[in-house]
Amino acid sequence: DAARSAFNELRAARGELKSELANDPQNRNRIAILETQLQAMVAAASGDVAQAVKFVQEIAPTEEAMPFEFGPPFVDKPSYELLGELLLQAGKGADAKAAFETALKRTPERTSSLVGLSKSEKALGDVAAQRQTDEKLKQIWHSADRTPPTQ
């Protein structure tokens, strides 16, 4: 209920900013991405993972097409990473792996995407690939205060 309420507030706020965003495609795209991601998470939390996947599949190319400024565009949760998580939840390991691989092309060595990749490799029974991904995670986390679990 809180997420639905937040989604409706976001949608109303976007409507109020329509004229200000008319000449600002970068921020207009950011808002569309965040809005669609929230809509997908509401759908997933309501048990409609298939619809959540559809929402993210539709918006992910928008994020992918956004130009880099000083680093990746401002999106808290990369859309392909979210898509991978939803596809894993839906039991579609191969599609999830492809989504995480796409996410990693845009944000190399992002640990959340690597963890998802490892989980998708595990779901597919690809032990060698999972071991390699887990080793990469260990290398990244070697100086961390603690090593987060990958499973």
Side-chain angles (χ1 to χ4, degrees):
D1 289 341
R4 274 192 194 89
S5 177
F7 175 73
N8 290 333
E9 288 177 30
L10 177 62
R11 204 170 237 176
R14 182 176 52 95
E16 293 171 13
L17 294 172
K18 190 173 185 173
S19 63
E20 292 176 38
L21 294 172
N23 295 319
D24 188 354
Q26 194 75 338
N27 278 321
R28 190 173 56 244
N29 286 340
R30 288 176 180 151
I31 290 169
I33 291 164
L34 295 173
E35 181 180 318
T36 304
Q37 287 181 346
L38 182 56
Q39 186 177 22
M41 296 310 296
V42 169
S46 299
D48 194 351
V49 177
Q51 184 61 48
V53 166
K54 183 178 176 186
F55 286 139
V56 179
Q57 284 175 326
E58 290 173 358
I59 199 65
T62 300
E63 179 184 338
E64 190 174 28
M66 290 174 73
F68 283 87
E69 293 171 347
F70 296 101
F74 171 76
V75 176
D76 292 331
K77 181 72 163 177
S79 295
Y80 280 102
E81 182 178 285
L82 176 58
L83 178 59
E85 291 170 357
L86 291 168
L87 288 165
L88 269 178
Q89 189 177 344
K92 297 181 178 185
D95 292 337
K97 181 177 179 179
F100 287 119
E101 288 171 340
T102 300
L104 287 164
K105 287 177 187 172
R106 190 153 176 93
T107 54
E109 297 190 0
R110 180 176 160 89
T111 56
S112 297
S113 292
L114 286 169
V115 168
L117 179 62
S118 175
K119 288 179 180 180
S120 65
E121 291 163 343
K122 181 179 181 179
L124 294 170
D126 191 344
V127 176
Q130 181 189 8
R131 191 174 297 129
Q132 186 176 11
T133 301
D134 289 348
E135 186 57 38
K136 185 180 282 190
L137 282 164
K138 287 177 188 173
Q139 289 172 0
I140 292 169
W141 287 330
H142 80 279
S143 296
D145 291 340
R146 67 177 186 82
T147 302
T150 57
Q151 306 308 323

